[in-house]
């Protein structure tokens, strides 16, 4: 499964993540200052220590990414959101401190939840600064990490801190009714697709398999202009399906469960309407909300 993470984690990313772990810091500025010193000082001991830490981090990541299929899918989903550079140092440090995997997986889910909500709702301060303020120094990393996970859950719900106080469930629901940023459309529809697949006892779809898929609006008519780019009107399609008429479309490559679902809603050749859009929007929004609330 590790090979499936390579599409997201480059060697440069790995170097930066290691630098953050070694420096015990989540912020870019501190890492960059240390890397400048690293380049200019000629201090052999620091270089040796850093390379040793790099190798240890690579080993930890390799072990972490190669667990069983259910665990691997959790990690794959986390990495696929492409916000991991801010939060992965926390997971790596927990893993390297020999925190049990059964405690790290909930931590991974919680960090994905925070990153996702932070992006979709749109908050003013960077997630890196917010995490930095709450989770340093390293005394927070120990073999008993349950309190750490509970803290993240509390912060994500705005219970104990202004960390995410305006990112409450009500605001999250409202955000999911708006037009969804293009950067996150494919991720959300992928999460929805795998929820449908799980309900049908099918193998999950890996994110890197979506390279030949694009996100389109089911209907781009002026009558639903205010609902375009919302979850209910968005669909993953294969590039070969793009220019097909709707009737031919649903007879051709119903590769994804969400395409079959739309075809069922449009039974008897009906035209995609506001009511159909509203029906599907509620279902897709419910899956995303319940997963990340």
């Amino acid at each position: 499964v590790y090979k499936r993470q390579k599409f997201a984690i480059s060697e440069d990313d790995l170097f930066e993540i290691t630098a953050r772990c070694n420096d015990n810091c989540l912020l870019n500025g501190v890492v960059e200052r240390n890397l400048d010193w690293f380049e200019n000082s000629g201090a052999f001991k620091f270089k040796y220590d850093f390379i040793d830490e790099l190798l240890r981090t690579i080993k930890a990541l390799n072990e972490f990414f190669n667990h069983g299929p259910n665990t691997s899918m959790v990690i794959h989903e986390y990495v696929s959101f492409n916000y991991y550079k801010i939060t992965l140092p926390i997971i790596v440090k927990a893993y390297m401190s020999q925190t049990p995997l059964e405690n790290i997986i909930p931590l991974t889910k919680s960090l994905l939840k925070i990153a996702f909500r932070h992006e979709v709702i749109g908050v003013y301060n960077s997630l890196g600064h917010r995490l930095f303020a709450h989770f340093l120094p390293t005394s927070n990393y120990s073999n008993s990490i349950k309190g750490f996970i509970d803290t993240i859950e509390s912060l994500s719900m705005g219970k104990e801190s202004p960390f995410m106080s305006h990112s409450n469930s009500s605001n999250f629901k409202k955000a999911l009714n708006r037009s969804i940023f293009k950067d996150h459309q494919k991720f959300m529809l992928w999460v929805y697709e795998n929820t449908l697949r799980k309900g049908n006892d099918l193998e999950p779809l890996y994110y890197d398999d979506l390279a030949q898929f694009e996100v389109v609006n089911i209907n781009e008519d002026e009558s639903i202009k205010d609902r375009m780019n919302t979850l209910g009107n968005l669909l993953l399609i294969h590039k070969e399906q793009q220019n097909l008429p709707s009737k031919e479309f649903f007879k051709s490559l119903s590769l994804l469960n969400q395409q079959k679902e739309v075809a069922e809603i449009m039974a008897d050749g009906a035209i995609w309407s506001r009511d159909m859009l509203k029906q599907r929007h509620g279902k897709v929004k419910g899956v995303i909300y319940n997963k990340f609330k």
Side-chain angles (χ1 to χ4, degrees):
V1 178
Y2 183 50
K3 67 181 180 180
R4 291 210 178 257
Q5 318 307 328
K6 290 182 179 178
F7 78 94
I9 302 181
S10 68
E11 291 182 1
D12 289 342
D13 292 337
L14 187 62
F15 188 85
E16 182 179 345
I17 290 165
T18 304
R20 292 185 181 192
C21 292
N22 192 50
D23 186 61
N24 184 34
C25 181
L26 299 171
L27 299 182
N28 279 324
V30 178
V31 173
E32 288 170 0
R33 286 196 297 274
N34 276 354
L35 290 181
D36 288 340
W37 181 84
F38 172 78
E39 290 294 327
N40 299 324
S41 67
F44 288 105
K45 184 178 186 304
F46 179 82
K47 291 182 179 180
Y48 175 82
D49 289 345
F50 186 83
I51 291 171
D52 183 59
E53 184 76 5
L54 177 65
L55 293 174
R56 289 179 62 238
T57 304
I58 291 173
K59 183 175 183 292
L61 283 169
N62 189 53
E63 291 174 354
F64 185 52
F65 286 140
N66 273 293
H67 286 280
N70 292 331
T71 297
S72 294
M73 197 60 201
V74 170
I75 298 166
H76 181 78
E77 188 174 87
Y78 162 75
V79 172
S80 297
F81 187 55
N82 204 25
Y83 212 94
Y84 59 86
K85 284 199 286 186
I86 296 296
T87 55
L88 188 54
I90 294 174
I91 295 170
V92 172
K93 291 168 78 69
Y95 190 79
M96 292 173 72
S97 67
Q98 298 182 337
T99 301
L101 187 69
E102 60 267 22
N103 290 335
I104 297 179
I105 293 304
L107 174 62
T108 304
K109 290 180 178 180
S110 295
L111 288 170
L112 171 59
K113 182 190 299 184
I114 283 183
F116 181 84
R117 289 166 63 93
H118 187 275
E119 280 288 286
V120 173
I121 295 174
V123 292
Y124 296 108
N125 295 331
S126 77
L127 183 61
H129 280 85
R130 288 164 178 262
L131 290 173
F132 177 80
H134 283 277
F135 299 127
L136 295 181
T138 52
S139 57
N140 287 321
Y141 301 97
S142 67
N143 288 341
S144 178
I145 204 168
K146 184 179 183 302
F148 189 29
I149 296 170
D150 291 344
T151 299
I152 290 178
E153 282 292 321
S154 295
L155 292 175
S156 72
M157 299 303 290
K159 292 178 180 178
E160 297 180 1
S161 163
F163 177 85
M164 299 284 277
S165 59
H166 58 304
S167 300
N168 56 33
S169 294
S170 176
N171 284 343
F172 185 41
K173 274 188 177 179
K174 291 177 183 177
L176 293 177
N177 282 329
R178 299 196 299 260
S179 294
I180 300 299
F181 302 125
K182 288 189 180 299
D183 290 346
H184 310 320
Q185 287 176 352
K186 184 176 281 192
F187 178 80
M188 291 191 192
L189 292 179
W190 172 65
V191 168
Y192 182 65
E193 174 67 23
N194 277 334
T195 300
L196 295 178
R197 285 173 174 247
K198 188 174 182 179
N200 293 325
D201 293 323
L202 298 173
E203 288 291 317
L205 179 70
Y206 282 92
Y207 192 81
D208 48 323
D209 291 332
L210 293 179
Q212 296 300 310
F213 286 78
E214 294 184 358
V215 179
V216 299
N217 276 289
I218 300 173
N219 189 339
E220 295 185 336
D221 190 80
E222 282 291 319
S223 63
I224 59 165
K225 188 175 181 180
D226 60 319
R227 301 299 292 161
M228 282 195 286
N229 294 315
T230 58
L231 285 171
N233 199 44
L234 295 175
L235 184 69
L236 275 175
I237 69 166
H238 194 275
K239 290 178 180 178
E240 294 180 21
Q241 296 173 291
Q242 274 191 300
N243 298 316
L244 294 175
S246 59
K247 290 184 179 179
E248 295 298 318
F249 178 95
F250 290 113
K251 289 179 181 177
S252 59
L253 294 171
S254 290
L255 301 176
L256 302 180
N257 282 250
Q258 60 191 266
Q259 293 182 4
K260 297 173 183 175
E261 184 179 63
V262 169
E264 290 172 2
I265 296 174
M266 296 177 70
D268 302 322
I271 296 174
W272 190 254
S273 64
R274 291 184 72 92
D275 287 342
M276 292 176 183
L277 191 158
K278 185 177 179 181
Q279 174 188 341
R280 181 168 181 267
H281 183 84
K283 191 171 181 182
V284 181
K285 173 186 169 183
V287 167
I288 301 299
Y289 175 74
N290 288 325
K291 184 174 181 64
F292 296 106
K293 69 179 180 180

